[in-house]
Amino acid sequence: MTNYPLIKFVLFFICGYLLQAIFNLNQDILFYLSIISLAILFVFQLLSNESISFIKQLFILITIVIVSGFYYSILHKQKVSYPFSLPRYSNVIAIGEIKNIELIKNERVSFSLRADTIIINDNIIKKQINLLCSLNDSEEKLRKKYDSIKIGNYVIITGNIIKPRDKRNIGEFDYENYLNNRQIHALLNVYGTHNLKIISYKQKPLANLIFDIRKNIDDVLTKYHNKNTLALLRGLLLADRSLINYDIKNEFINTGVIHVLAVSGLHVGFISLIFIILFQRLNPYLKYSFTIFGLILFMIITGAPASVTRATIMAIVIIISLMTGRRYNSFNAIALSAFIILLINPDELFNSGFQLSFAAVISILVFYPILNKLIANSKINSKILKNILLYIAVSLAAQIGTIPLVLSYFNKLSIVSLIANLIIIPLIGFTIGLGLVTILVAFIIPAIANYYASANELVTYFILFSINKLNNFPYAYITVNQFKLFDSVIFYSCLLYTTIFLKKVHSIYLKLIVIFLIFCNLYLWSKINDVNFLPDNYLSIMAIDVGQGDSFLIKFPNGKTALIDAGNANKYFDSGKNIILPLLERLGINCIDYGFVSHIDADHCKGFYSLIKMKKIRTIYKPAIDSSDRDDVNFEKYLRNHSIPYKYYNGNVIKFKEARIYILSDSNIMKNSIVSSNERSGVIKLVYGNTSFLFTGDINSKVERLFVIKYQDFIKSNVLKVSHHGSRTGTSEIFLNYVKPDYAIISAGVANRFYHPHIEVLDRLKKRNIKIHRTDKEGAILMRSDGSKVNYVNWKKLDNSFIF
């Protein structure tokens, strides 16, 4: 550490940030503590007594912690919160200044607005509110508006204010928290470019210059490349991954190469090489000065993410070392880059990009020399093989340090990552190089740019093809469900101990024994803070929040699972793929044993398509086919095409050891009475011991009476899934008189256009003192039965426990 004084300083500087972030001490107290500590340090400096040198050194470190904590309290912006009472408002007028504009997407232009006036239903709110605006219209109108608006323009906008989606299901990304931490209060959806009018053309020249450069580069990429290549290059060169579709991003994560989509050291290296070649004939000082300028410009154009800023600072330190003839030290350089980034923006410390970038580089600096030495001392004679192993060693070294962060953020450990990196990183290098050449040539000789772009499309094809094949390889990745900060601390502690121990011990057998014991400790300690949301020997029912739709996940005491409905799916969002599938992975459920389709309405069955495609459903139960309903016919065709066995509701009973599934719907009860899809909904009762749950799909009061007549007291249940999202057409008085539930679960979308649940239904439930749980208010709802009693489980409290 004595050779790297800057590292010691930066580590204690970061400690000050962390302590202040955790304990949030009063700023005035920190100010006075900083003054006192600096004064004491000044006194120590005046004293030259060697006996107090240790105390002096210790107090220097304490002072660094206190001062950095004070500095953090000054610069750190507390996250904002949604400022309105309702989750949605229509026809809102917002007046304010455009602060930032994102690159245009397929059918949307997004920008941030610092509004100083909000008008809601003639109520004028004079308060600064930051909105993330989304402008939607035809491609032609969007492009025209996109080209006309500028950063700094003062505008008046009419749209719908929406509360961002928070963490609605277990393990789900908290988008609201993400935006609030970035000082965004709410979303504003604007439908039609005519709803945005510029009332002041004031601009911010530098910000617009940078954005215009980004826009021009994007225009070139769009003109010369196909959809997939454009999406990849936009991510690689402009740090905008919004065009890369969900499935491709998932494949990058599963194969352990998601890091290549972040603009990083690889890109900075190419930029440095290009500038050095361009200015080769100039004298060294001019050559290096222009290269530094080019690197800084590239960093600004990409939006200065932590990975690019880190790589740029380290590259500049190397260049300055070459210019001045000083020795370059990688550890001091990375410490300097961390210090500069955190000095400008303390919140970067908690950014995943910052953490992954620095963890990867530090891990390479620590472990690559060890791996390099092992390869050099091996008996391998082939230079080609040795070079391949050295290349793999770099990737392995990076992954050693990033494993806990990858598990924390993505919950997946890629088994094929070494092979994937061996293939993908060189191809990404070609893509970046060809992309940069295409951009440069397009401004000089546009006709030739087509050839480079075509070559890049071929490289992109090989990248996506390779990743797809590796992703589909059996056991390509392992899902690790509950890896948190505490587990990361344990991992890094074990890693540090292992590194120190292995350097001091020479016996290979002792090394292997210690490594085995450390892995055992790591596994055991990491299990301490795991939470089992669906424990064995219980009947667990989870109402999944799929918005305006239904989906209920069930785990039986014997471990069998069922899914009643799967929400909706359209070209914008798929509940099955985007909500249910990640939830199943988070809960460690590989496949659903029984899928129940209450009826063939989109908000109940469309989410099943992606789950069936991913082979996540073993057997389907559904209402008898309605040959006049095209959706029903297509659904059964889809089941046959994917070899999924299916059965019709006909009073079926599925028996477990102590639990039963009773399908109450059958052909007799439907006969001559039911006409609509809602009325044909399957009604299912689950029984475990003395407890029961009743699921009613979208049936109305007319159908409820039929079930009362046929089943009478048998429909009595502890928990009722309220029919049709709480519509006034169902949950009748007579039905409630027979069901007599203790709990009512209502699955409905936040601020949905149907105004579900209806006030009349809520009044009926409240009149009977039934405990009401709603997905639009609470997100997912978890109920658990031990066979004698049903309990409501606060999963959010469980999910947030043992974070450290």
Side-chain angles (χ1 to χ4, degrees):
M1 193 67 80
T2 54
N3 296 325
Y4 314 115
L6 190 57
I7 291 179
K8 187 191 297 183
F9 170 80
V10 173
L11 284 175
F12 280 88
F13 184 81
I14 289 173
C15 282
Y17 277 13
L18 288 172
L19 290 172
Q20 178 59 16
I22 294 169
F23 297 107
N24 194 26
L25 295 176
N26 183 273
Q27 194 175 105
D28 292 337
I29 293 174
L30 285 171
F31 172 74
Y32 290 120
L33 285 174
S34 298
I35 296 297
I36 293 168
S37 60
L38 287 170
I40 294 172
L41 195 60
F42 178 73
V43 173
F44 276 128
Q45 190 66 30
L46 294 176
L47 300 173
S48 57
N49 191 339
E50 292 185 5
S51 63
I52 63 169
S53 61
F54 172 75
I55 299 174
K56 177 183 174 181
Q57 291 292 325
L58 181 62
F59 211 82
I60 288 173
L61 299 178
I62 293 172
T63 303
I64 292 170
V65 172
I66 294 172
V67 172
S68 67
F70 173 62
Y71 183 75
Y72 179 86
S73 70
I74 294 173
L75 286 195
H76 173 68
K77 297 177 180 178
Q78 296 293 334
K79 73 175 185 179
V80 300
S81 60
Y82 184 73
F84 308 107
S85 57
L86 298 178
R88 181 186 177 93
Y89 293 88
S90 299
N91 299 316
V92 174
I93 297 173
I95 304 170
E97 179 187 346
I98 294 177
K99 301 300 295 180
N100 182 52
I101 305 172
E102 297 179 13
L103 295 173
I104 191 170
K105 298 172 182 63
N106 297 327
E107 300 172 350
R108 187 171 76 252
V109 171
S110 298
F111 57 92
S112 56
L113 181 78
R114 186 170 68 189
D116 52 40
T117 304
I118 302 284
I119 304 173
I120 303 176
N121 299 328
D122 297 327
N123 294 320
I124 300 175
I125 302 170
K126 288 285 186 178
K127 179 182 177 182
Q128 183 179 308
I129 295 174
N130 299 324
L131 302 170
L132 180 58
C133 304
S134 179
L135 179 61
N136 304 270
D137 210 328
S138 66
E139 187 176 344
E140 182 182 348
K141 291 179 179 179
L142 271 181
R143 171 58 67 172
K144 188 176 179 181
K145 185 65 73 173
Y146 177 64
D147 290 336
S148 66
I149 59 174
K150 302 293 179 183
I151 298 170
N153 284 172
Y154 201 71
V155 297
I156 180 168
I157 307 174
T158 303
N160 301 333
I161 279 183
I162 298 173
K163 186 177 186 287
R165 184 180 174 93
D166 60 354
K167 188 175 184 177
R168 310 290 295 176
N169 296 290
I170 294 172
E172 194 171 272
F173 178 65
D174 193 334
Y175 186 51
E176 181 182 22
N177 185 60
Y178 171 81
L179 290 179
N180 290 167
N181 279 323
R182 283 152 184 77
Q183 306 301 299
I184 300 293
H185 293 83
L187 304 176
L188 181 68
N189 287 348
V190 186
Y191 300 98
T193 53
H194 62 279
N195 285 315
L196 188 159
K197 294 181 175 60
I198 301 172
I199 54 180
S200 170
Y201 288 87
K202 183 180 177 182
Q203 297 183 22
K204 294 186 176 179
L206 181 58
N208 280 296
L209 175 62
I210 294 167
F211 178 67
D212 285 341
I213 294 171
R214 284 173 60 82
K215 191 159 68 169
N216 288 331
I217 291 172
D218 183 52
D219 287 343
V220 171
L221 296 177
T222 303
K223 180 179 179 181
Y224 289 97
H225 299 93
N226 63 24
K227 184 179 178 180
N228 284 334
T229 308
L230 167 64
L232 190 61
L233 284 174
R234 201 192 246 197
L236 293 172
L237 298 177
L238 296 172
D240 184 335
R241 294 185 282 181
S242 60
L243 293 183
I244 303 174
N245 72 46
Y246 177 87
D247 291 331
I248 291 176
K249 280 183 185 176
N250 231 19
E251 289 178 354
F252 272 86
I253 292 170
N254 295 343
T255 53
V257 291
I258 187 66
H259 62 91
V260 302
L261 296 181
V263 185
S264 61
L266 181 66
H267 311 68
V268 172
F270 271 104
I271 296 296
S272 301
L273 184 63
I274 288 171
F275 277 103
I276 287 171
I277 292 171
L278 285 174
F279 305 123
Q280 186 65 42
R281 296 185 178 276
L282 300 177
N283 70 63
Y285 286 101
L286 282 176
K287 177 175 68 176
Y288 291 137
S289 297
F290 279 125
T291 302
I292 290 173
F293 174 78
L295 288 173
I296 294 172
L297 181 63
F298 176 71
M299 180 183 72
I300 293 170
I301 289 171
T302 58
S307 56
V308 180
T309 307
R310 187 267 309 156
T312 300
I313 293 170
M314 292 184 73
I316 290 172
V317 171
I318 293 174
I319 293 169
I320 292 173
S321 300
L322 292 171
M323 291 172 66
T324 59
R326 294 174 65 88
R327 185 183 171 192
Y328 172 75
N329 184 287
S330 299
F331 286 102
N332 281 329
I334 197 168
L336 176 64
S337 60
F339 177 68
I340 292 172
I341 292 170
L342 296 176
L343 198 65
I344 296 169
N345 184 7
D347 290 327
E348 282 290 348
L349 182 62
F350 306 100
N351 183 291
S352 60
F354 176 93
Q355 295 168 7
L356 287 165
S357 177
F358 278 86
V361 175
I362 292 170
S363 189
I364 289 171
L365 294 176
V366 172
F367 293 106
Y368 178 71
I370 298 171
L371 297 172
N372 186 17
K373 186 178 179 181
L374 289 173
I375 294 168
N377 294 336
S378 67
K379 296 180 180 180
I380 300 171
N381 296 320
S382 171
K383 287 187 176 180
I384 295 174
L385 181 57
K386 272 194 173 182
N387 287 332
I388 292 172
L389 289 174
L390 288 172
Y391 175 60
I392 294 173
V394 176
S395 177
L396 178 60
Q399 289 182 61
I400 289 171
T402 57
I403 281 174
L405 297 173
V406 169
L407 293 179
S408 296
Y409 291 117
F410 304 115
N411 301 120
K412 292 176 182 177
L413 178 64
S414 177
I415 305 302
V416 299
S417 60
L418 284 177
I419 299 171
N421 278 279
L422 186 65
I423 298 168
I424 299 304
I425 288 179
L427 292 175
I428 287 292
F430 280 115
T431 297
I432 294 168
L434 287 168
L436 292 171
V437 172
T438 302
I439 292 166
L440 293 172
V441 172
F443 289 109
I444 304 168
I445 315 173
I448 297 178
N450 278 311
Y451 295 101
Y452 289 104
S454 297
N456 215 348
E457 289 175 0
L458 182 63
V459 176
T460 301
Y461 171 80
F462 279 117
I463 289 172
L464 299 181
F465 176 82
S466 301
I467 288 174
N468 180 260
K469 291 301 178 185
L470 288 168
N471 177 66
N472 292 327
F473 192 80
Y475 307 106
Y477 63 92
I478 299 171
T479 301
V480 181
N481 298 318
Q482 301 193 50
F483 204 91
K484 299 181 181 179
L485 180 57
F486 175 83
D487 306 307
S488 298
V489 171
I490 295 296
F491 179 91
Y492 284 124
S493 300
C494 291
L495 189 62
L496 179 63
Y497 180 81
T498 305
T499 306
I500 295 170
F501 183 85
L502 293 182
K503 284 184 177 181
K504 293 183 177 181
V505 176
H506 301 289
S507 170
I508 186 67
Y509 298 107
L510 185 57
K511 286 181 178 181
L512 290 173
I513 291 170
V514 171
I515 290 172
F516 174 75
L517 291 174
I518 287 172
F519 269 104
C520 289
N521 271 280
L522 176 61
Y523 176 79
L524 292 172
W525 280 98
S526 66
K527 291 294 179 182
I528 287 177
N529 63 337
D530 285 0
V531 178
N532 191 350
F533 295 97
L534 309 177
D536 294 334
N537 302 316
Y538 286 88
L539 176 64
S540 299
I541 311 288
M542 179 181 291
I544 305 171
D545 183 6
V546 291
Q548 184 64 11
D550 268 13
S551 186
F552 290 82
L553 177 65
I554 302 158
K555 184 181 177 185
F556 293 94
N558 65 348
K560 293 287 185 180
T561 55
L563 186 70
I564 301 177
D565 291 331
N568 207 342
N570 51 48
K571 68 176 182 178
Y572 301 107
F573 193 81
D574 183 338
S575 294
K577 181 170 69 175
N578 301 122
I579 294 179
I580 299 172
L581 186 59
L583 176 65
L584 295 180
E585 291 182 344
R586 177 74 172 80
L587 296 172
I589 298 173
N590 294 320
C591 192
I592 296 293
D593 296 296
Y594 306 99
F596 295 91
V597 181
S598 66
H599 59 301
I600 306 295
D601 279 8
D603 60 329
H604 291 254
C605 83
K606 283 288 186 179
F608 271 114
Y609 281 83
S610 55
L611 298 175
I612 291 165
K613 182 180 178 181
M614 297 293 291
K615 304 185 187 307
K616 294 296 180 181
I617 307 288
R618 289 197 173 96
T619 303
I620 287 283
Y621 285 81
K622 64 181 291 293
I625 189 168
D626 179 358
S627 57
S628 65
D629 187 338
R630 182 180 298 178
D631 290 334
D632 202 351
V633 173
N634 289 339
F635 183 68
E636 290 201 3
K637 182 180 178 182
Y638 191 81
L639 292 174
R640 290 191 295 272
N641 290 341
H642 288 82
S643 303
I644 303 295
Y646 59 93
K647 301 177 182 179
Y648 295 135
Y649 295 151
N650 197 27
N652 324 61
V653 180
I654 303 172
K655 298 180 180 180
F656 303 114
K657 186 177 180 181
E658 296 178 359
R660 298 285 189 275
I661 303 175
Y662 294 96
I663 299 173
L664 304 186
S665 302
D666 60 33
S667 56
N668 291 324
I669 203 168
M670 304 292 182
K671 192 174 182 181
N672 301 323
S673 300
I674 314 304
V675 289
S676 72
S677 175
N678 285 346
E679 291 174 322
R680 297 175 66 246
S681 289
V683 176
I684 299 168
K685 181 174 180 176
L686 307 183
V687 177
Y688 176 47
N690 296 321
T691 63
S692 55
F693 300 75
L694 187 65
F695 297 86
T696 56
D698 280 356
I699 63 172
N700 58 25
S701 56
K702 180 175 70 174
V703 182
E704 289 174 350
R705 283 194 294 273
L706 295 176
F707 278 93
V708 165
I709 292 168
K710 178 165 185 178
Y711 291 104
Q712 297 187 13
D713 291 338
F714 185 73
I715 61 174
K716 181 181 178 181
S717 302
N718 299 94
V719 181
L720 170 67
K721 197 291 292 189
V722 174
S723 72
H724 205 177
H725 324 291
S727 166
R728 68 188 300 180
T729 60
T731 320
S732 59
E733 296 279 2
I734 188 171
F735 192 64
L736 289 175
N737 288 339
Y738 277 85
V739 178
K740 299 177 182 177
D742 302 310
Y743 296 92
I745 297 176
I746 302 174
S747 182
V750 177
N752 63 83
R753 62 192 177 94
F754 305 103
Y755 300 102
H756 292 158
H758 197 276
I759 188 65
E760 289 181 14
V761 173
L762 295 175
D763 286 343
R764 284 178 214 147
L765 297 171
K766 290 174 183 176
K767 188 172 66 174
R768 288 170 169 77
N769 294 319
I770 298 169
K771 299 180 183 71
I772 303 169
H773 292 287
R774 300 166 49 178
T775 59
D776 61 326
K777 297 291 186 182
E778 306 170 46
I781 297 160
L782 179 58
M783 309 292 289
R784 189 181 294 163
S785 167
D786 60 2
S788 59
K789 186 180 180 182
V790 175
N791 291 307
Y792 167 77
V793 180
N794 188 340
W795 64 266
K796 289 186 179 180
K797 188 175 181 180
L798 285 175
D799 203 27
N800 291 330
S801 63
F802 294 103
I803 288 177
F804 182 76

